[in-house]
mmCIF file of all heavy atoms in Angstrom:
data_model
loop_
_atom_site.group_PDB
_atom_site.id
_atom_site.type_symbol
_atom_site.label_atom_id
_atom_site.label_comp_id
_atom_site.label_asym_id
_atom_site.label_seq_id
_atom_site.Cartn_x
_atom_site.Cartn_y
_atom_site.Cartn_z
ATOM 1 N N SER E 7 229.480 298.273 268.673
ATOM 2 C CA SER E 7 228.771 299.432 268.282
ATOM 3 C C SER E 7 227.304 299.107 267.921
ATOM 4 O O SER E 7 227.004 298.086 267.532
ATOM 5 C CB SER E 7 229.399 300.148 267.189
ATOM 6 O OG SER E 7 228.904 301.537 266.952
ATOM 7 N N ASP E 8 226.495 300.233 268.101
ATOM 8 C CA ASP E 8 225.073 300.138 267.537
ATOM 9 C C ASP E 8 224.375 298.864 267.976
ATOM 10 O O ASP E 8 223.867 298.036 267.242
ATOM 11 C CB ASP E 8 225.006 300.381 266.063
ATOM 12 C CG ASP E 8 225.592 301.700 265.680
ATOM 13 O OD1 ASP E 8 224.842 302.674 265.662
ATOM 14 O OD2 ASP E 8 226.795 301.855 265.355
ATOM 15 N N ILE E 9 224.333 298.775 269.316
ATOM 16 C CA ILE E 9 223.715 297.548 269.895
ATOM 17 C C ILE E 9 222.251 297.617 269.797
ATOM 18 O O ILE E 9 221.427 296.605 269.633
ATOM 19 C CB ILE E 9 224.199 297.459 271.406
ATOM 20 C CG1 ILE E 9 225.597 297.195 271.531
ATOM 21 C CG2 ILE E 9 223.276 296.199 272.209
ATOM 22 C CD1 ILE E 9 226.397 298.485 271.529
ATOM 23 N N HIS E 10 221.689 298.846 269.967
ATOM 24 C CA HIS E 10 220.232 299.141 269.689
ATOM 25 C C HIS E 10 219.329 298.198 270.303
ATOM 26 O O HIS E 10 218.355 297.712 269.731
ATOM 27 C CB HIS E 10 219.936 299.099 268.082
ATOM 28 C CG HIS E 10 220.417 300.413 267.496
ATOM 29 N ND1 HIS E 10 219.852 301.728 267.899
ATOM 30 C CD2 HIS E 10 221.385 300.658 266.606
ATOM 31 C CE1 HIS E 10 220.561 302.568 267.177
ATOM 32 N NE2 HIS E 10 221.479 302.032 266.365
ATOM 33 N N LEU E 32 230.990 301.915 270.840
ATOM 34 C CA LEU E 32 231.013 303.192 270.004
ATOM 35 C C LEU E 32 229.637 303.742 269.970
ATOM 36 O O LEU E 32 229.311 304.562 269.075
ATOM 37 C CB LEU E 32 231.513 302.945 268.665
ATOM 38 C CG LEU E 32 233.034 302.184 268.655
ATOM 39 C CD1 LEU E 32 233.421 301.688 267.340
ATOM 40 C CD2 LEU E 32 234.028 303.255 269.049
ATOM 41 N N GLY E 33 228.706 303.405 270.843
ATOM 42 C CA GLY E 33 227.420 304.176 271.076
ATOM 43 C C GLY E 33 226.338 303.587 270.495
ATOM 44 O O GLY E 33 226.398 302.556 269.753
ATOM 45 N N ASP E 34 225.108 304.237 270.624
ATOM 46 C CA ASP E 34 223.811 303.749 270.196
ATOM 47 C C ASP E 34 223.579 302.316 270.966
ATOM 48 O O ASP E 34 223.406 301.346 270.266
ATOM 49 C CB ASP E 34 223.608 303.566 268.815
ATOM 50 C CG ASP E 34 223.074 304.928 268.185
ATOM 51 O OD1 ASP E 34 222.920 305.844 268.891
ATOM 52 O OD2 ASP E 34 222.873 304.934 266.900
ATOM 53 N N LEU E 35 223.461 302.331 272.280
ATOM 54 C CA LEU E 35 223.043 301.233 273.060
ATOM 55 C C LEU E 35 221.654 301.023 273.062
ATOM 56 O O LEU E 35 221.123 299.895 273.060
ATOM 57 C CB LEU E 35 223.514 301.483 274.587
ATOM 58 C CG LEU E 35 225.024 301.533 274.914
ATOM 59 C CD1 LEU E 35 225.702 302.631 274.302
ATOM 60 C CD2 LEU E 35 225.142 301.498 276.415
ATOM 61 N N VAL E 36 220.845 302.023 272.788
ATOM 62 C CA VAL E 36 219.444 301.997 272.643
ATOM 63 C C VAL E 36 218.796 302.443 271.471
ATOM 64 O O VAL E 36 219.472 302.899 270.494
ATOM 65 C CB VAL E 36 218.806 302.854 273.905
ATOM 66 C CG1 VAL E 36 219.318 302.287 275.226
ATOM 67 C CG2 VAL E 36 219.125 304.270 273.717
ATOM 68 N N GLY E 37 217.481 302.471 271.322
ATOM 69 C CA GLY E 37 216.767 302.860 270.123
ATOM 70 C C GLY E 37 216.485 301.555 269.145
ATOM 71 O O GLY E 37 217.366 300.576 269.335
ATOM 72 N N TYR E 38 215.420 301.653 268.511
ATOM 73 C CA TYR E 38 214.932 300.423 267.634
ATOM 74 C C TYR E 38 214.438 299.126 268.397
ATOM 75 O O TYR E 38 213.459 298.695 268.160
ATOM 76 C CB TYR E 38 216.012 300.097 266.500
ATOM 77 C CG TYR E 38 216.346 301.134 265.663
ATOM 78 C CD1 TYR E 38 217.792 301.486 265.526
ATOM 79 C CD2 TYR E 38 215.417 301.775 264.875
ATOM 80 C CE1 TYR E 38 218.155 302.453 264.669
ATOM 81 C CE2 TYR E 38 215.865 302.771 263.964
ATOM 82 C CZ TYR E 38 217.136 303.123 263.813
ATOM 83 O OH TYR E 38 217.527 304.073 262.964
ATOM 84 N N GLY E 60 225.904 307.780 271.432
ATOM 85 C CA GLY E 60 225.394 307.745 270.156
ATOM 86 C C GLY E 60 224.124 308.679 269.932
ATOM 87 O O GLY E 60 223.720 309.171 270.895
ATOM 88 N N ASN E 61 223.748 308.914 268.642
ATOM 89 C CA ASN E 61 222.692 309.778 268.465
ATOM 90 C C ASN E 61 221.384 309.352 269.122
ATOM 91 O O ASN E 61 220.627 310.180 269.599
ATOM 92 C CB ASN E 61 222.561 310.185 266.961
ATOM 93 C CG ASN E 61 222.306 308.925 266.123
ATOM 94 O OD1 ASN E 61 222.845 308.021 266.338
ATOM 95 N ND2 ASN E 61 221.428 309.053 265.047
ATOM 96 N N HIS E 62 221.144 308.042 269.158
ATOM 97 C CA HIS E 62 219.988 307.551 269.759
ATOM 98 C C HIS E 62 220.011 307.669 271.172
ATOM 99 O O HIS E 62 218.986 307.973 271.906
ATOM 100 C CB HIS E 62 219.752 306.144 269.364
ATOM 101 C CG HIS E 62 219.224 305.931 267.953
ATOM 102 N ND1 HIS E 62 217.909 305.668 267.672
ATOM 103 C CD2 HIS E 62 219.861 306.082 266.745
ATOM 104 C CE1 HIS E 62 217.730 305.589 266.397
ATOM 105 N NE2 HIS E 62 218.938 305.730 265.796
ATOM 106 N N HIS E 114 231.206 307.932 267.975
ATOM 107 C CA HIS E 114 230.040 307.356 267.430
ATOM 108 C C HIS E 114 230.051 307.539 265.858
ATOM 109 O O HIS E 114 230.141 306.641 265.050
ATOM 110 C CB HIS E 114 228.781 307.653 268.022
ATOM 111 C CG HIS E 114 227.595 307.095 267.472
ATOM 112 N ND1 HIS E 114 227.360 305.718 267.413
ATOM 113 C CD2 HIS E 114 226.517 307.540 266.761
ATOM 114 C CE1 HIS E 114 226.297 305.418 266.795
ATOM 115 N NE2 HIS E 114 225.718 306.471 266.383
ATOM 116 N N TYR E 124 227.813 310.716 259.501
ATOM 117 C CA TYR E 124 228.092 309.333 258.857
ATOM 118 C C TYR E 124 229.356 309.378 258.012
ATOM 119 O O TYR E 124 229.470 310.299 257.202
ATOM 120 C CB TYR E 124 226.924 308.914 257.968
ATOM 121 C CG TYR E 124 225.761 308.588 258.681
ATOM 122 C CD1 TYR E 124 224.685 309.496 258.945
ATOM 123 C CD2 TYR E 124 225.467 307.297 259.306
ATOM 124 C CE1 TYR E 124 223.586 309.196 259.533
ATOM 125 C CE2 TYR E 124 224.295 306.992 259.962
ATOM 126 C CZ TYR E 124 223.292 307.909 260.129
ATOM 127 O OH TYR E 124 222.140 307.584 260.877
ATOM 128 N N GLY E 146 231.344 304.103 264.672
ATOM 129 C CA GLY E 146 230.100 303.253 264.364
ATOM 130 C C GLY E 146 229.113 304.120 263.498
ATOM 131 O O GLY E 146 229.498 304.685 262.559
ATOM 132 N N HIS E 147 227.879 304.052 263.875
ATOM 133 C CA HIS E 147 226.846 304.965 263.353
ATOM 134 C C HIS E 147 226.202 304.423 262.035
ATOM 135 O O HIS E 147 225.045 304.445 261.803
ATOM 136 C CB HIS E 147 227.367 306.353 263.215
ATOM 137 C CG HIS E 147 226.346 307.330 263.029
ATOM 138 N ND1 HIS E 147 224.972 307.338 263.596
ATOM 139 C CD2 HIS E 147 226.506 308.516 262.372
ATOM 140 C CE1 HIS E 147 224.404 308.523 263.276
ATOM 141 N NE2 HIS E 147 225.144 309.198 262.473
ATOM 142 N N SER E 148 227.037 304.009 261.116
ATOM 143 C CA SER E 148 226.510 303.720 259.754
ATOM 144 C C SER E 148 225.950 302.205 259.690
ATOM 145 O O SER E 148 225.188 301.825 258.831
ATOM 146 C CB SER E 148 227.562 303.926 258.600
ATOM 147 O OG SER E 148 228.542 302.869 258.874
ATOM 148 N N HIS E 149 226.282 301.523 260.833
ATOM 149 C CA HIS E 149 226.049 300.091 260.896
ATOM 150 C C HIS E 149 226.557 299.245 259.791
ATOM 151 O O HIS E 149 226.168 298.183 259.425
ATOM 152 C CB HIS E 149 224.533 299.799 260.711
ATOM 153 C CG HIS E 149 223.638 300.471 261.929
ATOM 154 N ND1 HIS E 149 222.526 299.971 262.356
ATOM 155 C CD2 HIS E 149 223.973 301.602 262.727
ATOM 156 C CE1 HIS E 149 222.066 300.794 263.419
ATOM 157 N NE2 HIS E 149 223.023 301.793 263.566
ATOM 158 N N SER E 186 227.359 296.819 263.095
ATOM 159 C CA SER E 186 226.387 296.895 264.058
ATOM 160 C C SER E 186 226.133 295.595 264.821
ATOM 161 O O SER E 186 225.984 294.637 264.029
ATOM 162 C CB SER E 186 225.085 297.464 263.566
ATOM 163 O OG SER E 186 224.012 297.382 264.461
ATOM 164 N N GLN E 189 221.780 295.826 264.722
ATOM 165 C CA GLN E 189 220.784 295.990 263.520
ATOM 166 C C GLN E 189 221.851 296.212 262.331
ATOM 167 O O GLN E 189 221.919 297.261 261.796
ATOM 168 C CB GLN E 189 220.035 297.271 263.679
ATOM 169 C CG GLN E 189 218.953 297.320 262.805
ATOM 170 C CD GLN E 189 218.530 298.818 262.708
ATOM 171 O OE1 GLN E 189 219.048 299.738 262.195
ATOM 172 N NE2 GLN E 189 217.154 299.086 263.219
ATOM 173 N N ARG E 191 223.382 296.378 258.615
ATOM 174 C CA ARG E 191 222.790 297.017 257.483
ATOM 175 C C ARG E 191 223.552 296.631 256.092
ATOM 176 O O ARG E 191 223.367 297.295 255.176
ATOM 177 C CB ARG E 191 222.554 298.465 257.563
ATOM 178 C CG ARG E 191 221.500 298.919 258.644
ATOM 179 C CD ARG E 191 221.416 300.384 258.681
ATOM 180 N NE ARG E 191 220.677 300.804 259.891
ATOM 181 C CZ ARG E 191 220.565 301.938 260.284
ATOM 182 N NH1 ARG E 191 221.259 302.961 259.839
ATOM 183 N NH2 ARG E 191 219.863 302.224 261.377
HETATM 184 ZN ZN1 ZN T 1 222.882 303.293 265.195
#
Side-chain angles (χ1 to χ4, degrees):
S7 190
D8 297 278
I9 297 89
H10 284 297
L32 305 168
D34 273 3
L35 287 67
V36 300
Y38 298 125
N61 56 321
H62 285 255
H114 180 62
Y124 291 91
H147 196 33
S148 69
H149 299 207
S186 168
Q189 195 196 77
R191 293 180 189 163

